[in-house]
Amino acid sequence: MDCRIVVSDGQKSSAFLVNEGTNLQKAIFQNGFHVSAPCGGRGTCGNCKAVVSGKVSEISPTERKKLTEDEIKSGVRLTCQVVVHGDATVYIEQERSAEIQTEGLEYKVKLSPLAKRETVSLPAASLENSKDDAQRILNSFGKENLKFLPSVLPKLSNVVNGENQDLVITRTDDTIIDVNIKTKETTDYGFAVDIGTTTVVGYLVNLNTGKIEDTISEINDQAIYGADVLSRISYGRENPDGNEILHSKLTGQISRMLRKIIEKKGISKDDVCGISFAGNTIMMHFLIGLNPFRISVSPFTPVTTASMVCFAKDLGIDYHPDCPVYILPSVSGYVGADITAGMLACSLTDRDKIQLLIDIGTNGEMVLSKNGELLCCSVAAGPAFEGARIRCGVGGIEGAIDKISFRDGSFNIHTLWDKKPIGICGSGLVDAVSLLVENYIVDETGKFTEPDEWKPEALCLRDRLTTVNGETAFKIADEIYIYQQDIREVQLAKAAIYAGIKILLEHQNVSYEDVDIVWLAGGFGNKLNSESAVNIGMLPRKLLGKIRAGGNTSGIGAVMSLLSRDCRIECDIIKSRAKYLELSALPGFNDTFIEAMGFEE
């Protein structure tokens, strides 16, 4: 290793050695720094910018397409395109805080947690009561059907002293998993985790009251290998030990998050009696340590979609290895445990209502509940609503434009944390396109029009329609524009969502009027302006008054299943009832999708 790389992000600096010919982005990741890389290092997103100087490869044609002349003059490079040839210095923009959806629907469950601690008063051994220690514990406990985990038995010889004593038994529904001498009154906690492709959210839950006492959220550590699951599957397939790396990234992050929230709360890790996980099917595969490749190719077959009970050490969660774990079931390769959790949280098994659950991300998952029957589908919405493939697109980070309005001649934007605008995220993008369509600045085909075709009240915006590097664009803020290709990306995404809804309802002979509630799940659904979504034809107008924000339905479903045996049983009932509709196999889907591309419903 003969090339010295110095990296700084404004908060920390580090110097390390790499071999000549090393890809700069890989070197940065391997040494603990982060740059945004939604495309997984393929050079298609243009997000992995850094100021680079030193002995590195010449600027590539890809970089010339993705970078402005001012950026090139300032030494900005796409790190995925840079090859190290000698000593170099790299400056990365400091990572910005992200807005992560943690709140969700209220819930009420009958408490019967995955595992809990109970006190047992064990009488002294005697000639009249000389049964073995394990049997005397079961007799005193009044739970003769319980079994001891084999690893617990050696501990009994150190814990049980033959005298009268109070013991604390930690047990699941059918197994005693730990025995300790009681020293003080304690509170039982659980940790429910929603593993998203972009974010990971953990909930510290009081198992005695059922209440969420704290939350922790982070960007998914796997994001450096691509913004979407297919990029990560490709990484796992194309790199030696790639799947093991993705698995370790995830389990390492979960261990770290659990440690952080426990230390913040000031409790012992032994106070955490159970963990539950929900997430899409591919994230569940990475968690368990399974190869998800076959989900990415027809006929999209997972290794397993069943619910699972195991221990943290079985997954490689080192911080609390003996903690029991419940993994919610998935429905199919592209309708995962996050949707099962959402169905639980939104009570989609209710036979008295017709409900629609929509979770919009790179894939748009939908469930229609009719008289308790559950029909699911998934559409490839693309990453536009997560800020990817949009020229000035960003995720939900500080400075992202998340709301846009135009009323009475006044054009206004709002940014997350009220910071200086740095780009536009999904909800702001929908608002922007809605504004353009509503004022005829964009026609029904998605093309920009001339001002003489605009609504009169929009003519005050004519200076915003401009040309940037030879391309027509609409200015949202300084150096932030909506380009023609951005509108095309929105058309593809919104058409997929609309077509999926329409086909799902038609398949079940349900009209728009029949639907009682439409749940929009996740952070994007929570931020989305429903009126804007209807204006661009993402959601049918007849559903407008029925739309509700569900918040993090996946996280709340994970909390409910951690707290309640009934909910864990309900998850398996949901899985058994849910039927998956493969839209690509339906002859009418492509026609419906193409019809939905325009901006007229």
Side-chain angles (χ1 to χ4, degrees), residues 255-333:
S255 292
R256 184 181 71 238
M257 292 174 69
L258 179 57
R259 180 186 291 106
K260 280 183 180 179
I261 203 166
I262 283 173
E263 291 177 352
K264 179 183 175 185
K265 188 69 177 177
I267 60 176
S268 164
K269 69 178 181 181
D270 292 332
D271 294 334
V272 176
C273 300
I275 304 173
S276 63
F277 289 105
N280 66 56
T281 311
I282 292 171
M283 285 298 112
M284 294 295 94
H285 275 52
F286 284 136
L287 172 68
I288 299 168
L290 305 176
N291 185 346
F293 171 71
R294 288 171 58 230
I295 301 176
S296 67
V297 294
S298 182
F300 317 114
T301 309
V303 176
T304 180
T305 55
S307 61
M308 186 181 302
V309 176
C310 60
F311 291 94
K313 60 188 173 187
D314 299 325
L315 305 178
I317 298 173
D318 297 330
Y319 176 64
H320 194 8
D322 294 320
C323 189
V325 168
Y326 173 69
I327 296 174
L328 279 79
S330 298
V331 174
S332 68

Side-chain angles (χ1 to χ4, degrees), residues 57 97 120 125 224 400 439 445:
S57 56
S97 300
V120 174
I224 61 177
N439 290 282
T445 71

Side-chain angles (χ1 to χ4, degrees), residues 30-313:
Q30 289 168 359
N31 286 276
F33 289 87
H34 176 81
V35 290
S36 177
C39 69
R42 288 172 169 76
T44 57
C45 69
N47 284 17
C48 61
K49 298 175 183 177
V51 178
V52 181
S53 60
K55 295 180 180 180
V56 295
S57 56
E58 294 293 325
I59 193 163
S60 69
T62 297
E63 290 174 283
R64 292 197 181 279
K65 289 181 181 178
K66 298 293 182 181
L67 301 173
T68 66
E69 286 300 321
D70 287 343
E71 286 175 327
I72 293 172
K73 290 176 182 177
S74 300
V76 175
R77 300 291 300 271
L78 299 183
T79 58
C80 69
Q81 300 293 300
V82 177
V83 177
V84 177
H85 292 311
D87 295 351
T89 300
V90 184
Y91 179 80
I92 303 167
E93 184 178 351
Q94 185 178 328
E95 190 172 354
R96 294 173 178 266
S97 300
E99 180 167 275
I100 300 174
Q101 182 70 39
T102 58
E103 293 79 14
L105 300 171
E106 292 185 2
Y107 58 90
K108 186 177 182 181
V109 298
K110 180 181 178 182
L111 294 179
S112 47
L114 175 64
K116 59 183 177 180
R117 294 181 294 189
E118 294 179 314
T119 299
V120 174
S121 295
L122 185 66
S126 66
L127 291 175
E128 292 77 21
N129 184 13
S130 59
K131 292 181 179 179
D132 61 74
D133 293 338
Q135 188 60 52
R136 288 190 303 115
I137 289 173
L138 293 179
N139 290 346
S140 300
F141 201 24
K143 303 286 185 181
E144 300 288 340
N145 61 321
L146 290 176
K147 304 293 182 184
F148 279 86
L149 193 70
S151 61
V152 175
L153 294 175
K155 194 173 183 180
L156 291 185
S157 60
N158 296 319
V159 170
V160 178
N161 59 20
E163 305 296 329
N164 292 326
Q165 62 183 143
D166 286 340
L167 301 176
V168 176
I169 307 296
T170 306
R171 71 177 185 93
T172 63
D173 290 342
D174 55 11
T175 305
I176 292 176
I177 61 174
D178 199 10
V179 178
N180 289 289
I181 298 171
K182 184 174 182 180
T183 58
K184 60 180 180 179
E185 293 295 332
T186 55
T187 300
D188 292 349
Y189 290 92
F191 191 53
V193 186
D194 166 35
I195 305 175
T197 307
T198 306
T199 60
V200 180
V201 181
Y203 299 83
L204 187 67
V205 186
N206 186 318
L207 300 183
N208 302 121
T209 65
K211 294 182 179 179
I212 297 169
E213 292 200 357
D214 205 352
T215 61
I216 183 170
S217 58
E218 295 182 357
I219 298 296
N220 190 321
D221 280 357
Q222 293 182 341
I224 61 177
Y225 303 104
D228 58 87
V229 291
L230 294 182
S231 295
R232 295 180 204 173
I233 288 175
S234 295
Y235 176 85
R237 185 169 174 80
E238 295 167 3
N239 293 271
D241 302 321
N243 283 317
E244 178 57 34
I245 290 170
L246 289 164
H247 167 71
S248 298
K249 273 287 182 186
L250 188 56
T251 55
Q253 180 172 20
I254 291 162
S255 292
R256 184 181 71 238
M257 292 174 69
L258 179 57
R259 180 186 291 106
K260 280 183 180 179
I261 203 166
I262 283 173
E263 291 177 352
K264 179 183 175 185
K265 188 69 177 177
I267 60 176
S268 164
K269 69 178 181 181
D270 292 332
D271 294 334
V272 176
C273 300
I275 304 173
S276 63
F277 289 105
N280 66 56
T281 311
I282 292 171
M283 285 298 112
M284 294 295 94
H285 275 52
F286 284 136
L287 172 68
I288 299 168
L290 305 176
N291 185 346
F293 171 71
R294 288 171 58 230
I295 301 176
S296 67
V297 294
S298 182
F300 317 114
T301 309
V303 176
T304 180
T305 55
S307 61
M308 186 181 302
V309 176
C310 60
F311 291 94
K313 60 188 173 187

Side-chain angles (χ1 to χ4, degrees), residues 493-513:
K494 70 96 175 179
I497 300 296
Y498 186 96
I501 294 171
K502 187 176 181 183
I503 293 290
L504 208 56
L505 267 63
E506 288 177 351
H507 203 272
Q508 292 294 81
N509 295 315
V510 171
S511 69
Y512 296 129
E513 290 80 7

Side-chain angles (χ1 to χ4, degrees), residues 479-544:
E479 298 184 359
I480 300 172
Y481 300 88
I482 296 293
Y483 293 84
Q484 185 69 70
Q485 184 58 38
D486 298 335
I487 296 170
R488 294 293 182 231
E489 291 289 344
V490 170
Q491 286 180 280
L492 290 169
K494 70 96 175 179
I497 300 296
Y498 186 96
I501 294 171
K502 187 176 181 183
I503 293 290
L504 208 56
L505 267 63
E506 288 177 351
H507 203 272
Q508 292 294 81
N509 295 315
V510 171
S511 69
Y512 296 129
E513 290 80 7
D514 293 334
V515 176
D516 295 301
I517 302 172
V518 179
W519 296 105
L520 293 184
F524 175 67
N526 204 57
K527 281 281 185 185
L528 182 65
N529 182 319
S530 300
E531 193 80 51
S532 295
V534 166
N535 285 344
I536 70 170
M538 182 198 305
L539 302 176
R541 185 167 296 279
K542 291 181 180 179
L543 296 179
L544 182 58

